Structures are given as structure tokens and as C-alpha cells.
Amino acid sequence: MSAQSTFPPPHPLRSYAAIGDSFTEGVGDPGPGGAFVGWADRLAVLLADRLPEDGFRYANLAVRGRLLDKIVAEQIPRARRLAPDLVTFCAGGNDIIRPGTDPDEVAERFERAVADLTGTVATVMVTTGFDTRDIPVLRRFRGKIATYNGHVRAIADRYGCPVLDLWSLRTVQDRRAWDGDRLHLSAEGHTRVALRAGQVLGVEVPADPDQPWPPLPPRGTLEVRRDDIHWAREYLVPWIGRRLRGESSGDHVEAKRPDLLPL
């Protein structure tokens, strides 16, 4: 299935539950009241705009920092109870970037979760990882991410799931698509992912996610180095510290929208 192909659902999508980690929670895309918006919320708006007012319901169960097993234990049972028309399932990324993890083994656990979900939910859209070639720190995991992506696509084929292929979305490889922490998307990056997700589901979208970015002025070596030092101090060192202490950014964080509610 190409990145541009669509996957028309068997009937109009009137409800949607998003499950996953910080990517699906929307970290990097700040909204009012200190909550995050993110691609899943933006996709929900695209889907809701096709229906009469209050005709669409949406839940976002994602919590930052969650590993696959915790997503499976906490979010999938709730998603099954909610029984929406659509679930988006993005998980395993936090597992893959941990030292010593095996993408083949992570994919086996991911497939069991997909099998569980597809037994209840009509449409389950799965998500690949990004191409991290140009992302500091994460570029060293590029091979593991590519291997995991291959498994995700094969699992999608076996269970009839549409695929939100982020690896092929080249416009999010621009640094403006990423937040200052270089680990999460910016608001514009989340917007482009939502547009691509809409395309995959056969929704008419208001803009092209592949629209090229306007040119940037060249940056000097000194400016790049100053930005790298600031990033390492503000984001990389705390991130490493949490890993060493066994902490997660999602400790004590709860899902922002745990029930199917009208938008």
C-alpha cells in the first residue's frame, strides 16, 4: 500500500479512540490549559467535520513515555470496551530505542495486540516509525526502526489494517517539523501527520502534507553548535537522567480524554 493510497472504512466513522505514547498524546503541540493537541486530535477534527454537529465522538487514551506492554495492559482493554469505529494504534517506539531490545520480539507482542483489537474494532490503523536519519541521538536506532516498520507493515497486511506510514512522509524530516527537544513533533509536524492519516482513511483533507517547506536561510557552524549545546543541556541530559533512574515522563500522567465524547 502506498503512502497516498486510501483505505475506505466499511461504514462512516462516527467514533474514534487513539492509543499510544507521547506521539499520540500530542507532546510538542501545546494547546490551551497546558494540555497537548497533536495529530490524533487533529485527525478527530477532520473526521468530525464530515458529520452533523455532535455526531462524532472521540477518546485519546495515549500517555507519554508508555512502553508497549503498558499500552497493551492499560489502553487496549479500555479501547475494546469503548468499541469505537476506528482505533489508531502506535506503540513500540519507546521499546525500540531502549538498548538491547529486539525489534522482532517487540513486533511479536505488537501483533498479539493487533489481533486482540481487530476482534472488536472495525478499523484499526497502525503506524510505522519515522525515518530518524537526520535526528540526533535517534539516528543510531534507524536500523532497528526500519526492521520494526517492516514487521508493522506485514502485520497490517495479515489483519487488514490501514497503515499510517510515517517513514515515507518526507516533509517531517525538516527540522521545523520537530519540537525543540528533537524527540517530538512540532505543531506543524503533528498537522502534517494528521493530514496524511486523513488521506489514508480516504478523507478529503484541506492541505497537502507533502507541501514543501519554504526555504530556510543558511546557518553558520557557530549557530548550529550553539543550538546543539542548548539542546543537550535542556533536553538530552534530563532524558538520559530519567533513563538511568528508571523514570518515565509519563509517571503520574493520565489519559487526557479517557471517554468517547463529542468534539
Side-chain angles (χ1 to χ4, degrees):
M1 180 182 296
S2 71
Q4 293 292 343
S5 65
T6 59
F7 192 98
H11 52 78
L13 297 172
R14 298 182 180 278
S15 55
Y16 164 35
I19 60 179
D21 52 29
S22 59
F23 169 59
T24 302
E25 185 186 349
V27 174
D29 185 3
F36 293 105
V37 183
W39 72 272
D41 289 20
R42 295 177 182 277
L43 173 61
V45 172
L46 290 174
L47 295 172
D49 283 348
R50 308 171 76 200
L51 297 172
E53 187 175 356
D54 295 333
F56 184 82
R57 296 176 300 140
Y58 169 58
N60 190 316
L61 311 179
V63 177
R64 69 199 76 167
R66 289 295 192 261
L67 297 171
L68 175 58
D69 286 348
K70 203 158 189 180
I71 292 171
V72 170
E74 296 176 349
Q75 298 177 31
I76 286 185
R78 183 160 190 84
R80 291 188 64 196
R81 288 194 297 272
L82 294 173
D85 294 332
L86 168 70
V87 163
T88 56
F89 182 26
C90 180
N94 288 326
D95 299 72
I96 296 299
I97 64 175
R98 293 198 168 219
T101 53
D102 179 358
D104 299 333
E105 189 275 331
V106 177
E108 289 176 1
R109 290 185 277 127
F110 181 83
E111 179 163 7
R112 290 195 292 270
V114 170
D116 189 20
L117 273 172
T118 53
T120 305
V121 178
T123 302
V124 178
M125 183 162 70
V126 297
T127 307
T128 71
F130 295 98
D131 184 352
T132 58
R133 176 182 53 191
D134 299 319
I135 304 175
V137 179
L138 295 184
R139 66 167 62 99
R140 64 190 292 260
F141 302 107
R142 189 178 185 228
K144 291 175 67 175
I145 294 169
T147 299
Y148 187 63
N149 285 352
H151 284 299
V152 169
R153 295 186 188 100
I155 292 165
D157 284 345
R158 287 195 286 272
Y159 292 89
C161 300
V163 180
L164 175 55
D165 188 356
L166 301 176
W167 186 280
S168 69
L169 185 57
R170 297 297 179 86
T171 51
V172 296
Q173 293 174 10
D174 188 285
R175 63 184 176 87
R176 286 167 288 185
W178 293 85
D179 190 35
D181 65 3
R182 306 184 185 179
L183 296 171
H184 300 99
L185 293 178
S186 65
E188 179 62 24
H190 277 284
T191 297
R192 289 179 183 250
V193 169
L195 293 169
R196 172 53 53 80
Q199 287 179 334
V200 172
L201 291 170
V203 176
E204 184 176 349
V205 297
D208 182 2
D210 293 309
Q211 176 69 32
W213 296 80
L216 276 174
R219 296 198 302 160
T221 303
L222 183 61
E223 182 183 2
V224 172
R225 179 165 178 77
R226 184 170 59 245
D227 288 348
D228 288 345
I229 291 171
H230 172 77
W231 168 74
R233 181 187 304 118
E234 294 297 319
Y235 300 107
L236 180 60
V237 171
W239 184 73
I240 293 173
R242 287 196 301 271
R243 293 297 180 272
L244 293 175
R245 294 189 299 270
E247 297 175 356
S248 168
S249 59
D251 290 344
H252 314 300
V253 176
E254 297 182 355
K256 64 181 180 181
R257 194 181 176 93
D259 295 302
L260 286 173
L261 299 172
L263 284 178

